[in-house]
Amino acid sequence: DAWREEEEEEEGGSDLVQGLEDSVSKLVIAVAVSMLVATVVAGSLLLPTWVTAEGARQDLRMLCNLKAMLGPHREQELAQLVLDFANGRAGHGTPLLFLSLDGDLLYGAPDATAHVRDFPREWAGFSFADAAAGQEGEMVVDTRRGSEQQLVYGLAMLGCVLSVVCAASLLFMAHLRERLALPLLSLSALLQAFTTDPLAPLRLREQPAEAAEIRHLRASLVKLATLLQVALGEAGSKIISNGLRGSWRAGADSGKICHAFFGFCDIRAFTTLTEVLQSDVVRVVNVVAKHVHEAVCEGFGAPNKNMGDAFLLVWKPTQVELGASEVADSALRAYIRIIIELARSRELNRLLLRADLQERLPGFRMQLGFGLHYGWAVEAAIGSAYKLDASYLSPHVNLAARLESASKIYNTAILISGDTYRLLSAGVQALCRLMDRVTVKGSMQPMELYTYDVPDVVSRGGAIPDDIDWSLLGHAQYGRNGDACTGFRVAGELQGHEPHSNLRADASTGSHAASSSAGAYRASLDAFFRAVPPTTSPQFRAKFVAAV
C-alpha cells in the first residue's frame, strides 16, 4: 500500500517540483504587484507634470483672453495673474523662463535661455497665434528640474526593484532552506551517524514541511541501511563503516581477533522436512529463525549466519557492560527460551501437523540441537567484490558446530563445552549436568561436556505454563530491546513501518545495562532459571558426575 501510494503521487507530479513552482509563481506575482504599486506611487510623487505643445497653446490662449478682459488699465492684476501662472509652472517642475503676450514682455527676458544648455537641451519653447482674434503668445520653460525629478524617479524605481528582488530572493531562499536544504542536511546527518555507528538504530523523523520526494529518499536510505545491518550483522559493522567512508576494498582487511561465546543451532530432520514440505519449508525455517534471533538478541548476542537449517550465533562479553558469567548465562538462557518458544508456537505446530509430514514422521515435533563454546576467533570480511560475508574463522567456531552435531549422539538438545561451563555463574553451573569427558580430534587436552535438561510445556506433559510471560522474568526488560533487534521484522518494515536496527537497541531504552543496573540484570537471570529449572534432580546430576 505504501509503495502504491508513492506511485500514485509520482503519477500526479513531483511534490518537490510542484512546491518550488508554486513558490516561484507566488514570488513572481508578488514582484509584479509590488512593481506596479511602486510605479504608481513613485510616479505620482516624483514625476514632473510635463508641458505638451497643445497644453502650452491652451495656456497661452487663456492668458491672452484674460489680458484682453483686464484691458490696459489693470496692469497690476495682470502681473499678479502672470506671477501665479509662473508659480504654478514652478510647482509642476517646469519653471517659467519667458512669457510674451501680444508682443508685450510679461515675464523674464528675451535672452532667458542664454544661461541654459542647448545640448542636451534643458529648455522648451512654445508659441500661439490666432490671426482672427489678433492674439499671439510665446513662452519658454526650464526643463532641468523635470530631468532631475525623472532621474530621482529612475533611482527610486531602481531601489524599489532591488528591494523587491532582494525580498523575493530571501523568501525564495527561506523556502528552499525549509523544503530542500534542511531535509538534505538531516539526510546527511543520518548517513554520517550510520557511518560512525553502523549498528545504531535508525529512526524516521520527518519534517513537517518535507516534500514527498525527501520522505521517500529518507525512507529508502533507512531501509537500505537496515538491510545492510541485517545482512552483514554485527561482524560486518566495520565493512559498512569503511565502505561508506570509501576506505574499504574487498580482501584488503586482515580481520581482528575477538573472544566470544560461539553457538551453533541446527534443525533436526531437516532433509525429511524439505522433502515433504517442499516450498513450505521456508515458512518453517523463518518461524524458527524468528524465535532464535529474538531470544539471542535479547540476551546480548547477535545472529551471524543463517545457513538454511543451521544458525551461527555470537555473544561478545566485551560488547556489553556485564561480566562474562552474565553473558554466558544469557547465552544458555537464550537456548532454553528458544526450545520452549518453539514448543508452544501455534504457527509452527500448525505447519508441522500436516498429514503428509505426520505420515512420514509419526508424532514429529520441532527439535533443535545446540552447541555452545567459548574461545577466540578472527572476525573478518570473507569473500570478494562479487560476494561478501562477515563471519568468524577459528577452530573454536568449528568446535561449537561439532558440539551441536554431538548432541545427537548424546540425545540431548544442548551441549556445552567445559570452557563455557566454567564461565557460567555458580548457580547455573549447579543446574547443568555433566555428560562426558572427551578428547576431540586435533586436541590433546580432554574436555568436559555439559547439558541442561530443558523442561517441556504443560501441553506436552511438562511443567512450564504454555502462556509463560518472559517479561515478568526480566528477560525483555534488561536484555536488548526486542523491537530493536529482531531482524525478522524487516520484511514488515519495508512495507512502510518505522524500521529498527536488528543489532543494537537505542541507548534510551537501556539496551546496554549500565553498572547500576547490572545487579537487576543478574536478578532477572536468576529469576529465569528459578522459573525454568532442569527436569533432572541434583542427586541425579551428581550421579553423572561420579560416573564420568
Side-chain angles (χ1 to χ4, degrees):
D1 294 337
W3 289 112
R4 192 179 301 111
E5 292 176 1
E6 293 178 5
E7 292 175 357
E8 292 175 356
E9 290 179 1
E10 291 174 359
E11 293 175 358
S14 169
D15 183 47
L16 180 60
V17 174
Q18 185 64 40
L20 292 177
E21 289 178 350
D22 292 343
S23 178
V24 171
S25 300
K26 292 177 182 177
L27 289 175
V28 169
I29 294 173
V31 169
V33 173
S34 300
M35 292 301 302
L36 180 62
V37 173
T39 301
V40 173
V41 173
S44 63
L45 296 176
L46 300 176
L47 277 181
T49 304
W50 293 106
V51 181
T52 63
E54 182 61 29
R57 283 194 292 270
Q58 293 294 336
D59 290 342
L60 290 173
R61 183 189 297 276
M62 177 191 68
L63 291 173
C64 287
N65 291 334
L66 291 174
K67 179 175 178 293
M69 291 173 57
L70 293 175
H73 303 293
R74 302 172 66 180
E75 294 180 355
Q76 189 174 6
E77 295 182 21
L78 180 60
Q80 183 62 44
L81 182 64
V82 172
L83 183 60
D84 292 341
F85 178 74
N87 291 335
R89 289 260 52 90
H92 287 96
T94 53
L96 186 64
L97 296 178
F98 172 81
L99 177 62
S100 172
L101 296 177
D102 299 329
D104 297 331
L105 180 62
L106 300 180
Y107 188 87
D111 60 346
T113 60
H115 63 281
V116 183
R117 287 189 306 184
D118 287 333
F119 185 82
R121 194 167 184 177
E122 296 180 343
W123 59 274
F126 304 94
S127 61
F128 161 75
D130 187 351
Q135 296 175 339
E136 62 177 355
E138 183 180 359
M139 73 173 178
V140 177
V141 296
D142 188 346
T143 60
R144 286 178 297 179
R145 281 188 57 192
S147 299
E148 293 173 356
Q149 287 181 316
Q150 192 169 21
L151 177 61
V152 173
Y153 170 77
L155 293 175
M157 288 302 300
L158 179 61
C160 290
V161 171
L162 292 177
S163 300
V164 171
V165 170
C166 288
S169 299
L170 291 175
L171 290 174
F172 185 64
M173 292 303 296
H175 181 78
L176 283 180
R177 174 181 172 82
E178 180 184 5
R179 299 277 291 181
L180 192 60
L182 290 179
L184 289 179
L185 285 175
S186 68
L187 291 179
S188 177
L190 179 68
L191 285 176
Q192 183 61 37
F194 183 61
T195 301
T196 304
D197 187 359
L199 303 183
L202 301 174
R203 310 289 184 185
L204 281 175
R205 295 184 177 90
E206 299 177 357
Q207 303 296 329
E210 205 168 61
E213 289 80 3
I214 300 295
R215 290 198 303 272
H216 297 165
L217 180 59
R218 184 192 305 278
S220 298
L221 285 176
V222 172
K223 292 168 186 175
L224 287 173
T226 304
L227 285 174
L228 277 176
Q229 292 173 331
V230 173
L232 296 180
E234 189 168 3
S237 60
K238 186 177 179 181
I239 300 174
I240 299 173
S241 181
N242 292 342
L244 290 176
R245 291 191 176 99
S247 59
W248 177 83
R249 290 186 301 109
D253 294 334
S254 58
K256 65 177 182 178
I257 300 294
C258 67
H259 290 77
F261 295 92
F262 298 100
F264 224 83
C265 168
D266 180 76
I267 300 175
R268 300 284 169 81
F270 187 74
T271 302
T272 304
L273 278 175
T274 305
E275 292 175 354
V276 175
L277 299 180
Q278 299 290 314
S279 61
D280 284 340
V281 75
V282 176
R283 297 170 60 189
V284 173
V285 171
N286 285 337
V287 172
V288 173
K290 168 185 173 181
H291 293 292
V292 170
H293 292 173
E294 188 172 47
V296 170
C297 285
E298 291 185 0
F300 292 101
N304 178 253
K305 293 180 74 68
N306 304 322
M307 296 168 282
D309 62 334
F311 305 91
L312 174 59
L313 315 168
V314 182
W315 289 264
K316 293 182 182 178
T318 57
Q319 294 286 346
V320 294
E321 297 178 3
L322 294 173
S325 62
E326 281 76 20
V327 179
D329 290 357
S330 296
L332 179 56
R333 179 177 66 173
Y335 279 0
I336 298 170
R337 176 176 168 178
I338 292 168
I339 295 172
I340 295 176
E341 286 290 339
L342 294 178
R344 67 175 187 166
S345 172
R346 295 180 180 179
E347 181 180 6
L348 183 60
N349 291 330
R350 185 167 55 250
L351 292 170
L352 299 181
L353 286 176
R354 283 180 36 167
D356 50 355
L357 180 60
Q358 291 298 320
E359 181 180 355
R360 181 78 173 271
L361 297 172
F364 178 79
R365 53 181 290 185
M366 178 56 65
Q367 291 183 327
L368 272 69
F370 300 88
L372 185 61
H373 178 64
Y374 179 81
W376 63 268
V378 179
E379 183 182 78
I382 304 167
S384 67
Y386 298 96
K387 179 66 176 73
L388 193 68
D389 288 314
S391 191
Y392 299 86
L393 299 177
S394 169
H396 296 281
V397 177
N398 297 337
L399 183 54
R402 293 168 69 180
L403 288 173
E404 180 278 319
S405 180
S407 67
K408 303 174 186 176
I409 301 174
Y410 291 97
N411 193 29
T412 185
I414 300 174
L415 209 56
I416 305 169
S417 69
D419 292 336
T420 302
Y421 173 83
R422 283 184 285 275
L423 291 173
L424 293 169
S425 64
V428 177
Q429 285 181 356
L431 301 177
C432 295
R433 176 164 58 95
L434 179 62
M435 295 288 293
D436 203 349
R437 191 168 185 264
V438 299
T439 301
V440 298
K441 184 178 180 181
S443 175
M444 300 296 294
Q445 297 295 328
M447 178 179 62
E448 297 85 5
L449 303 180
Y450 293 85
T451 189
Y452 190 99
D453 300 300
V454 182
D456 214 334
V457 293
V458 173
S459 60
R460 292 187 173 180
I464 303 300
D466 287 76
D467 58 348
I468 185 172
D469 189 352
W470 303 114
S471 63
L472 298 179
L473 303 178
H475 196 178
Q477 296 176 12
Y478 299 101
R480 297 190 180 192
N481 179 275
D483 284 346
C485 66
T486 47
F488 58 85
R489 297 180 185 272
V490 172
E493 287 158 1
L494 294 182
Q495 302 287 334
H497 302 295
E498 181 179 0
H500 303 278
S501 167
N502 70 313
L503 296 173
R504 184 179 299 167
D506 199 337
S508 62
T509 65
S511 63
H512 295 292
S515 57
S516 60
S517 61
Y521 186 69
R522 177 71 263 170
S524 74
L525 289 170
D526 295 339
F528 178 88
F529 285 103
R530 283 196 302 270
V532 190
T535 56
T536 54
S537 66
Q539 295 78 11
F540 182 80
R541 294 193 293 272
K543 290 181 181 179
F544 266 79
V545 174
V548 172

